[in-house]
Amino acid sequence: MAALTLVLDAMGGDNGPSVVIDALVDALSAFPNYHFIVVGDEAELEPLLAANKLADHPRVILKHASQTVAMTDKPGYSLRAKPDSSMRIALDLVANGEAAACVSSGNTGALMTKAYFALKTLPGVLRPALMSAIPQASGGSAFLLDLGANPVCDSDTLFQFGVMGSVAAREVLNIDKPRVALLNMGAEDIKGNDVVKATAQLLQQSKSLNYIGFIEGDDLFADKADVIVCDGFVGNIALKSCEGLAELLLTNIRANIHAHWLTRWFVKLFYSRLQRSWDWLKPDHYNGASLIGLRGVVIKSHGDANAKAFYSAIEQAVSETQHDLPTRIRDQVENVLLEQE
Amino acid sequence: MAALTLVLDAMGGDNGPSVVIDALVDALSAFPNYHFIVVGDEAELEPLLAANKLADHPRVILKHASQTVAMTDKPGYSLRAKPDSSMRIALDLVANGEAAACVSSGNTGALMTKAYFALKTLPGVLRPALMSAIPQASGGSAFLLDLGANPVCDSDTLFQFGVMGSVAAREVLNIDKPRVALLNMGAEDIKGNDVVKATAQLLQQSKSLNYIGFIEGDDLFADKADVIVCDGFVGNIALKSCEGLAELLLTNIRANIHAHWLTRWFVKLFYSRLQRSWDWLKPDHYNGASLIGLRGVVIKSHGDANAKAFYSAIEQAVSETQHDLPTRIRDQVENVLLEQE
């Protein structure tokens, strides 16, 4: 039963709980074996559920939460001062086994702190990591981690990110022997800092990983690797820089198009195609990021997720629970620890 | 006299010395007060100069170099094994005062190592930094540093990058009180690693800097700051990730355009506009990166620079020598050191 229940934190996103309820409508028909617990302010949620004819739905449970974590709340503050927040209640439901996964589009820092506090890491796992799929030139995806859960990492932690990412790529992306790479400032062995070099040695020595070496930033999207490992400081800045550039590039292209009457006339046709490229290139907006290494599935949807994006995060939670990703990660980490003994 | 002589390393770029000679032709007419020393293989360069009627040009000197640093040479190796390389000779000409600046599109690692070895840092400067202008949404530029000269930095070094970048933005970009920001994984004070937090304190305390705080990756191009400081590991990966994404995005847009006969028919008109956005967004291809903090001006042009791009790097060298950037940096670093005492 537990494996078929997902809990949705309906509060805390930029676009309000209606986005979550709209995504729930689609999820109920897409995943007929799944039950959903919706957590949040009853006064807001009851009318939304009723409007969508979900008030008495046999697979929907509403659970009241009197508090909401704000986007501006500091993680420590929200942990102490908001014990009855929708986010905390949602995570506790996963921790006590009532649900297999939690999806939230609330404050990332608070979610990471609360999830770590409520769920704890899997046996042998040093730190949880925030991981996202990023698009590849071929049209496929690769996993990039960590994206900000760990600003500073030692080599053992980065090595484990390689192990966990590899399991996720095998289970979720269906890649037989995922190519694991380390993000570095050069492809040669002498490049980088001591932590990256020490991690490379650990990855090279591991028999169970398909480690392919260093890759540089310009290869992030070039189909070179299936799992790309870095610390949270670097991963966060790399991904957000790309977001910033994509925004700038598209603004600039639009301006250049608008500068000519002929292209302007054409923009309507072109726009949908442009938008398609754009959507595809904002993976964190259109897929969730997974917080992996914990005793349960936690998916972080983007703060400004619309219903489609939140649905996509639910899909990801379904996929990770179907593959029982936490158990697969626990087993592989155990294997690797035995291998290292 | 020395201030009006630039030395061009004609070898080591991906596109051969003809690119450098073509750029020289434009530079001679654009900068009538400047003399140029071209360093490289005589056998290759003499015919190229002759073909461009520069064999006896009063403002052009050809200086033979029997060796060339290859793109694949490790910095240490090229320093030891190639004492007569064009790059080394070019840098020595700056070191001994025969030229004010060196422009090279050769191996970045070798250029940084040789430049540091030949020119040394300015008094009080801890480390040189590789700095590039990056485009801003407004159409202007900001300086990002370090881009890879220093994979690991302490807070004193990062603080100095703020000081040096601020001088460069004032002198070269003509910005009165440049806004200095630290690149971090969050805008809140508690975010980031210890080095970034300690650097923030140093920058805050400095009276001569206009420090504005942390910015995140997605604000790199958003007109938030004029000088953006990070260590070389982060800067290199941020900039290269953006390059990778821009490549992917444009490939994807082209594919979407080509998928429809109507847009395909239109692509010719559109392409030049697309290309304009593209060029603008590859700043390292169309401008040089400056290695600042040294006793002389060193500009690194992109390895695959064409004549236009190499000319742009020469322009940058002219600008930095006209403003005597090394002296301005030395003075400011001295001021700041006195302020800290």
Side-chain angles (χ1 to χ4, degrees), chain A residues 3 9 14 19 29 60 113 129 153 196 208 295 300 304 310 325 340:
Chain A
D9 172 11
D14 298 338
V19 160
S29 67
V60 177
T113 306
C153 297
V196 163
S208 50
R295 297 167 195 252
K300 165 74 177 89
D304 71 0
F310 199 89
L325 193 60
Q340 286 180 331

Side-chain angles (χ1 to χ4, degrees), chain A residues 255-275:
Chain A
N256 275 328
I257 292 170
H258 281 274
H260 194 286
W261 67 269
L262 213 51
T263 46
R264 207 157 52 227
W265 182 71
F266 226 69
V267 82
K268 221 171 170 179
L269 173 66
F270 179 72
Y271 193 77
S272 68
R273 298 184 170 275
L274 196 66
Q275 201 62 39

Side-chain angles (χ1 to χ4, degrees), chain B residues 204-326:
Chain B
Q204 248 150 8
Q205 282 157 11
S206 171
K207 283 165 214 142
S208 48
L209 285 179
N210 179 15
Y211 174 63
I212 58 158
F214 294 138
I215 64 166
E216 296 190 64
D218 47 353
D219 283 334
L220 270 185
F221 310 97
D223 288 304
K224 295 270 175 86
D226 305 305
V227 178
I228 302 159
V229 173
C230 57
D231 69 41
F233 194 89
V234 168
N236 181 286
I237 287 174
L239 200 64
K240 285 198 178 160
S241 298
C242 288
E243 237 182 271
L245 184 85
E247 190 76 53
L248 176 67
L249 181 55
L250 286 157
T251 306
N252 192 261
I253 288 173
R254 276 188 214 112
N256 276 329
I257 293 170
H258 279 275
H260 194 285
W261 68 269
L262 210 54
T263 44
R264 205 156 54 226
W265 180 73
F266 226 72
V267 83
K268 225 174 164 172
L269 173 67
F270 180 70
Y271 193 77
S272 68
R273 295 183 173 274
L274 196 66
Q275 201 63 40
R276 212 175 301 161
S277 307
W278 184 212
D279 288 357
W280 180 63
L281 284 161
K282 290 172 85 181
D284 59 331
H285 287 235
Y286 287 84
N287 294 297
S290 303
L291 196 58
I292 62 168
L294 298 171
R295 296 166 197 256
V297 171
V298 179
I299 307 291
K300 166 73 178 88
S301 181
H302 202 272
D304 71 0
N306 57 20
K308 191 180 149 205
F310 199 89
Y311 171 78
S312 176
I314 295 175
E315 245 183 350
Q316 204 171 328
V318 166
S319 171
E320 291 190 15
T321 53
Q322 276 174 344
H323 292 95
D324 197 0
L325 192 61

